[in-house]
Amino acid sequence: MTKLELSALQYVSQGLTYAEIGQRTGYSQVSVQKAVIRVLRKLNARNRAHAVFLACQAGILNPKHRHGDHAGFIAHQRRGEDPWECRLGCPEGERAYRRERRAARRKADEAWRGAVANLTEAS
């Protein structure tokens, strides 16, 4: 695997777009896209996520490192932090994110129950 292909695979594992990878590597978006396509062919992968999975299995990428999005990712972004600096899976970020999502689901459920109750009362 070439240096560009390996770099592209690592950045793909972090969820970056072709344009973002191009900016970080100094290559054009088209060159990065072609490199990723070559990686997909070499790994016999169906898509980018499958390529990351196969690369972890083959030992090309560190399988102990969490690649791509994790539950705390959005929480980091909302706090204005760089989510890529979180190397251990960020348990506190994940807990905060899940708490936030549970609260949002409860609120939506309550709103739904209230709407249903209003409809039944109006009938």
Side-chain angles (χ1 to χ4, degrees):
M1 209 174 285
T2 68
K3 185 178 176 182
L4 173 59
E5 291 169 351
L6 185 56
S7 295
L9 181 61
Q10 289 171 335
Y11 285 127
V12 162
S13 77
Q14 296 173 2
L16 272 62
T17 65
Y18 295 129
E20 292 169 331
I21 296 169
Q23 289 172 348
R24 292 189 183 196
T25 60
Y27 288 93
S28 72
Q29 182 175 342
V30 173
S31 295
V32 171
Q33 194 169 7
K34 288 180 181 181
V36 171
I37 290 169
R38 287 192 304 270
V39 169
L40 294 177
R41 286 188 188 134
K42 287 178 180 181
L43 294 175
N44 199 22
R46 292 185 298 270
N47 54 45
R48 292 164 43 130
H50 191 220
V52 171
F53 174 76
L54 293 173
C56 286
Q57 282 189 323
I60 298 168
L61 293 176
N62 182 358
K64 293 185 179 185
H65 172 70
R66 292 192 60 175
H67 300 283
D69 201 1
H70 61 278
F73 184 87
I74 301 298
H76 282 296
Q77 285 185 323
R78 288 183 183 160
R79 290 192 301 261
E81 300 169 355
D82 182 9
W84 304 118
E85 290 180 5
C86 177
R87 295 284 181 217
L88 300 175
C90 189
E92 63 278 352
E94 290 187 29
R95 281 192 292 274
Y97 177 80
R98 289 188 178 124
R99 248 189 327 270
E100 185 180 302
R101 298 309 318 142
R102 276 194 301 270
R105 280 193 304 273
R106 281 189 204 114
K107 187 176 180 180
D109 288 344
E110 290 169 7
W112 174 254
R113 285 189 204 109
V116 169
N118 288 342
L119 285 174
T120 55
E121 290 173 10
S123 301

